[in-house]
């Protein structure tokens, strides 16, 4: 079985303040994500990913294959949470450094489907606020490039539905409680300040 390691953040722990505090990053990345990594490494071998061409799969691709193939249970939950968190942390940049607006084909598709970026954000936030319990709200693309917003409970990921995940907000309480207490809506609204749309557009290509 492939051994997984805790991802390195591409920014300092305090870099996302005031949207996400250093303390939240410490617990969310350093404690919660580390626990999922440790748990997956202790579990029995998950389904082996199939080779692609002559090269080896990257970690995100390996995790996606595990999540697609594993039945519900510990392997699925821990692999799903690692995949979700890695995509989550990698989509952010510090306030003032992140590309604030969608661009290219992604921007055109958002406007085509929602009428405006503001309307899309409003629906995305509403889906995050409305998700009962713990989970994730995702923007994904289908095989034809059409965008869809989904609510994923627990550790699930849109790849199980045959979708290509692009953008996600974590609505597990550990993602925001230190900074926002029970104000989930305020947390979700603030996250747009640090979403780097260049990353999301590249995932859509």
């Amino acid at each position: 079985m492939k051994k997984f390691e805790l991802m390195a953040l591409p920014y300092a722990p305090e870099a996302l303040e005031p949207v996400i505090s250093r303390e939240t990053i410490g617990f969310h990345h350093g404690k919660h994500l580390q626990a999922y990594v440790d748990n997956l490494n202790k579990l029995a071998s998950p389904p082996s990913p199939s080779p692609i061409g002559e090269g080896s799969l990257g970690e995100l691709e390996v995790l996606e294959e595990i999540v697609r193939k594993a039945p519900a249970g510990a392997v699925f939950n821990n692999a799903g949470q690692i995949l979700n968190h890695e995509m989550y942390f990698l989509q952010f940049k510090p306030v003032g450094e992140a590309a604030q607006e969608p661009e290219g084909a992604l921007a055109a598709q958002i406007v085509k489907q929602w009428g405006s970026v503001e309307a899309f954000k409003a629906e995305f936030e509403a889906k995050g606020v409305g998700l009962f319990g713990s989970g994730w709200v995702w923007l994904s693309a289908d095989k034809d490039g059409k965008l869809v917003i989904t609510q994923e409970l627990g550790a699930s990921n849109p790849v199980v539905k045959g979708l290509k995940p692009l953008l996600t907000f974590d609505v597990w309480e550990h993602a925001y409680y230190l900074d926002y207490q029970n104000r989930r809506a305020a947390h979700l609204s603030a996250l747009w300040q640090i979403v780097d749309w260049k990353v999301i557009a590249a995932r859509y290509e």
Side-chain angles (χ1 to χ4, degrees):
M1 170 181 164
K2 172 182 170 65
K3 282 290 184 181
F4 293 90
E5 296 181 358
L6 179 68
M7 67 172 290
L9 292 174
Y11 38 75
E14 68 277 8
L16 303 183
E17 293 179 335
V19 177
I20 302 177
S21 70
R22 179 190 187 111
E23 289 75 20
T24 290
I25 290 291
F27 280 101
H28 197 180
H29 172 265
K31 303 293 185 183
H32 288 278
L33 181 51
Q34 181 70 71
Y36 298 130
V37 171
D38 292 343
N39 289 341
L40 185 59
N41 285 331
K42 292 174 185 175
L43 291 167
S45 296
S48 298
S50 56
I52 295 181
E54 297 180 356
S56 59
L57 292 174
E59 180 158 307
L60 287 177
E61 289 90 350
V62 171
L63 289 165
E64 284 187 10
E65 286 224 26
I66 294 172
V67 171
R68 286 192 194 99
K69 294 179 179 180
V75 169
F76 176 89
N77 288 337
N78 286 282
Q81 285 293 69
I82 299 170
L83 174 61
N84 293 347
H85 281 90
E86 289 196 3
M87 296 194 72
Y88 173 80
F89 286 122
L90 290 173
Q91 73 190 0
F92 296 139
K93 278 194 174 179
V95 176
E97 295 182 21
Q100 290 294 293
E101 294 295 329
E103 54 187 39
L106 175 63
Q109 190 65 32
I110 288 175
V111 173
K112 177 181 178 181
Q113 292 186 223
W114 282 275
S116 69
V117 174
E118 291 71 24
F120 155 72
K121 288 181 178 179
E123 182 177 337
F124 194 83
E125 290 178 38
K127 289 286 181 67
V129 172
L131 192 153
F132 183 77
S134 300
W136 304 77
V137 58
W138 284 89
L139 174 68
S140 301
D142 68 14
K143 60 182 177 58
D144 298 317
K146 183 178 179 180
L147 300 172
V148 58
I149 299 172
T150 63
Q151 297 168 313
E152 305 294 339
L153 292 173
S156 193
N157 182 287
V159 297
V160 302
K161 300 172 180 175
L163 298 170
K164 182 180 183 180
L166 306 174
L167 164 74
T168 188
F169 285 178
D170 187 346
V171 294
W172 284 67
E173 283 192 341
H174 64 243
Y176 61 89
Y177 205 83
L178 288 178
D179 300 330
Y180 298 86
Q181 286 77 53
N182 65 334
R183 295 178 295 118
R184 181 189 285 187
H187 164 68
L188 297 179
S189 179
L191 286 176
W192 298 116
Q193 299 176 60
I194 56 173
V195 168
D196 188 0
W197 282 101
K198 288 186 180 294
V199 173
I200 313 307
R203 290 174 179 174
Y204 183 63
E205 292 176 357

